[in-house]
Amino acid sequence: MKTGNNSISEGIHKREKDIYEQYQKTISYFIVELEVRDVEFPVEIFNEIRSIFTHLARFKLQNSLDDLTSAERHVKRAILDCYKYMCVSYAEEISQFRESYRKVDLKIADNGAFLPKLDQLEHKAKMSCLLAKRAEITSQASEDELYKLFEEAYNNYENLSSFLNDSYEAILFASSHSKRSNVITIISTIITIISYIFSLPVPVSRRTSWYTFLLL
């Protein structure tokens, strides 16, 4: 039968283990994502990581439970900052996509289903992020509530980005079709201009000179 001290010790060990697991499975994942997407790694997240392991070191050396609690808080803040930066990165990704494909008729992608779905997902992501930012600015939410709000915003933006990546073939089709349509339009315009030029009445003097040229 487990004693009270053993139970407390196991609880403390689990809390410490959870910190390492959150760093390994969540924070380190975002570190790679942000470095790949944006090249530079945000200083704010780095500072939180440094604080995590500073408090963990004190906990191990001094057996200070207060430092273990502080490490847990910094883990949550680090993940919260990751959510915020990922939302910004995803928003920039969508903005760049729209700018790059502004001349492409995306209405034909996926038989017309792509663009409405993209607009719907982007609106949902923007609104959830706006709600989280408002709660942060006005201090109307606790740290735990703020964490959940930004987590939801991140999840919405991740869904939006995944949808964009999954729609690659539909986007490629729309882009290719738009290019062919542009070429056809240009050719049609040129033919129209040439037809108009040849339909204009030619003065007699010019007509004579043309005939003379042809006879030569």
Side-chain angles (χ1 to χ4, degrees):
M1 185 176 180
K2 295 180 179 178
T3 64
N5 288 337
N6 286 338
S7 298
I8 293 173
S9 179
E10 287 182 4
I12 293 173
H13 176 72
K14 184 180 182 305
R15 288 172 60 188
E16 181 185 3
K17 182 181 178 182
D18 287 344
I19 292 173
Y20 288 115
E21 285 185 348
Q22 285 182 295
Y23 174 79
Q24 184 65 33
K25 294 180 180 180
T26 304
I27 298 174
S28 61
Y29 164 79
F30 284 126
I31 289 174
V32 174
E33 277 288 311
L34 289 168
E35 285 182 340
V36 170
R37 297 174 68 89
D38 302 327
V39 181
E40 295 182 359
F41 184 69
V43 175
E44 293 87 346
I45 300 175
F46 174 78
N47 288 336
E48 293 295 344
I49 293 172
R50 182 175 59 184
S51 295
I52 291 169
F53 289 102
T54 296
H55 285 291
L56 278 177
R58 290 175 182 170
F59 162 70
K60 297 296 286 187
L61 293 173
Q62 303 172 12
N63 197 28
S64 170
L65 289 180
D66 287 341
D67 281 297
L68 181 62
T69 301
S70 295
E72 290 171 330
R73 285 200 301 266
H74 285 292
V75 166
K76 181 161 284 190
R77 291 173 188 170
I79 297 174
L80 178 60
D81 284 340
C82 287
Y83 287 151
K84 293 177 184 178
Y85 276 99
M86 286 299 297
C87 285
V88 172
S89 183
Y90 281 137
E92 290 176 352
E93 174 190 352
I94 302 304
S95 178
Q96 289 172 4
F97 167 78
R98 289 191 181 275
E99 176 63 24
S100 299
Y101 286 85
R102 68 185 186 282
K103 295 182 180 179
V104 174
D105 186 11
L106 294 174
K107 293 179 182 178
I108 65 174
D110 195 18
N111 296 319
F114 168 75
L115 194 56
K117 183 67 173 179
L118 179 70
D119 293 339
Q120 177 190 356
L121 291 174
E122 184 177 17
H123 177 74
K124 183 178 181 180
K126 282 183 175 180
M127 290 301 99
S128 59
C129 191
L130 182 61
L131 180 65
K133 287 181 178 179
R134 284 176 176 170
E136 181 180 33
I137 293 172
T138 58
S139 301
Q140 293 179 347
S142 65
E143 189 172 286
D144 288 340
E145 291 171 337
L146 204 60
Y147 181 93
K148 291 179 181 178
L149 287 171
F150 273 105
E151 182 180 28
E152 181 180 359
Y154 162 75
N155 287 333
N156 288 335
Y157 266 115
E158 185 182 35
N159 290 337
L160 173 59
S161 180
S162 296
F163 171 74
L164 195 61
N165 292 329
D166 292 341
S167 303
Y168 173 76
E169 291 185 1
I171 296 168
L172 186 62
F173 169 81
S175 180
S176 301
H177 183 82
S178 295
K179 288 178 181 178
R180 288 197 298 270
S181 298
N182 290 338
V183 171
I184 293 172
T185 301
I186 292 171
I187 293 174
S188 299
T189 302
I190 293 172
I191 292 174
T192 301
I193 293 173
I194 293 175
S195 299
Y196 173 74
I197 292 174
F198 277 95
S199 68
L200 294 174
V202 180
V204 176
S205 58
R206 289 189 179 180
R207 192 183 307 160
T208 303
S209 62
W210 287 358
Y211 292 157
T212 304
F213 174 76
L214 291 173
L215 288 173
L216 291 175

